[in-house]
Amino acid sequence: MPGVIVDCAIYRDGRRTERPEDFPSALQEARRQRGHAFLWLGVHEPTPEEFERISGEFGLHPLAVEDALKAHQRPKLEVYDDSLFMVLKPVAYDDTTATVTATELMVFVGDAFVVTVRHGETGPLAAVRRRLEHQPETLRHGPTSVLYAVGDAVVDHYIEVAGELQADLEDLEAEVFSPDRSESRNTAAEIYAFKRQVMEFRRATGPLTEPLTRLQENRGVPFVPDGSRPFFRDVGDHLARANDSVDSLDRLLSDILSAHLAQMGVRQNDDMRKISAWAALAAVPTLIAGIYGMNFRHMPELGLRFGYAGVLLAMAVIEFSLYGLFKRRGWL
């Protein structure tokens, strides 16, 4: 299955040996040297038929196999008789489109093997494998070292993505409170879209807390020696930082949205005051002209020689007085 198996290698005493011709014989060899060697098989988006052969050779639990094939799983840790199954969700952030994309990564850990199943185009596995192959002292700890290294790489990238989101959120905040902001922009929609990206990020980081807590406390988790607890505790600390960053982003977005809505309310009040002030200015000459436009024969002041000029002067005085009053009060 060359298109499905990305990499397959036996690691003996922390060092990679030659690539085996097929994984069944490699698994048998690793189990014969249990404690000194293990097999790491990397798989990318296998079909049910392709993964059936792999699961049969490694003795993977059918429920875990179903989860690995269907994907769309929450981060979790499942313990079975012959293996340990963990789901991780690596994330990537595209700052040009301000979108968070989550992929899925499944890790099976057994007595002398690690099987990683990747869904999506992005993932830290290649970099993790290269780094571990230059750290034989870490690989000597067996399959658990791979589980730790993969989790550490995923969680460390969470912190990087949180920093990128924070930088873009500061730019959005500056635009919201900028006096030169365009009125045609739908700022509320931009804030809400950014909030959805933070929610997508939270779906990857939040549920991972419980599995890492189990690993660092080693509560009924096989294939994880007690000596690895401090390493998983370190990953858990990094995850706590990432979750704190997500919470801060979410709170700040809510505050920005509330401030934006308050700005809109104040702006609308200002507009209504201006409209009311101009309406009042237009009402005075309209009232006077309406009274003297009724064309009755017997009306007061119709016979005054300077009545027309007096009425125009009165309207002008009233208009300028109202304009000055509204201007002093900030209505115009």
Side-chain angles (χ1 to χ4, degrees), residues 192-305:
Y192 183 73
F194 202 99
K195 196 175 183 68
R196 287 188 63 86
Q197 302 308 313
V198 173
M199 289 177 60
E200 182 70 20
F201 190 25
R202 186 193 294 275
R203 292 191 188 101
T205 63
L208 189 57
T209 302
E210 192 272 337
L212 282 178
T213 301
R214 291 179 60 188
L215 287 172
Q216 67 190 29
E217 295 178 359
N218 203 6
R219 296 180 301 183
V221 181
F223 311 111
V224 178
D226 291 339
S228 63
R229 292 170 59 184
F231 296 94
F232 287 109
R233 188 178 301 117
D234 180 68
V235 179
D237 292 341
H238 292 179
L239 180 63
R241 287 175 52 195
N243 282 325
D244 289 343
S245 298
V246 173
D247 292 338
S248 298
L249 289 170
D250 189 54
R251 287 195 299 269
L252 185 56
L253 276 169
S254 298
D255 293 341
I256 292 174
L257 181 59
S258 299
H260 170 66
L261 295 177
Q263 278 186 328
M264 290 181 61
V266 171
R267 194 174 297 114
Q268 288 175 351
N269 289 336
D270 290 340
D271 293 341
M272 288 301 300
R273 284 187 303 190
K274 291 179 181 178
I275 293 173
S276 300
W278 285 113
L281 290 173
V284 173
T286 302
L287 174 64
I288 298 175
I291 293 174
Y292 283 94
M294 291 186 293
N295 296 321
F296 289 109
R297 181 181 298 272
H298 302 288
M299 290 183 65
E301 293 86 29
L302 285 179
L304 293 178
R305 182 176 180 181

Side-chain angles (χ1 to χ4, degrees), residues 143-197:
T144 307
S145 63
V146 177
L147 180 62
Y148 155 73
V150 171
D152 186 55
V154 170
V155 172
D156 283 349
H157 193 60
Y158 287 165
I159 297 176
E160 295 177 9
V161 171
E164 294 174 357
L165 285 170
Q166 180 67 41
D168 283 358
L169 182 56
E170 291 175 357
D171 293 339
L172 178 60
E173 183 181 17
E175 291 178 5
V176 169
F177 295 104
S178 173
D180 301 327
R181 182 173 55 88
S182 174
E183 298 292 337
S184 61
R185 292 186 56 180
N186 193 347
T187 307
E190 293 181 20
I191 298 173
Y192 183 73
F194 202 99
K195 196 175 183 68
R196 287 188 63 86
Q197 302 308 313

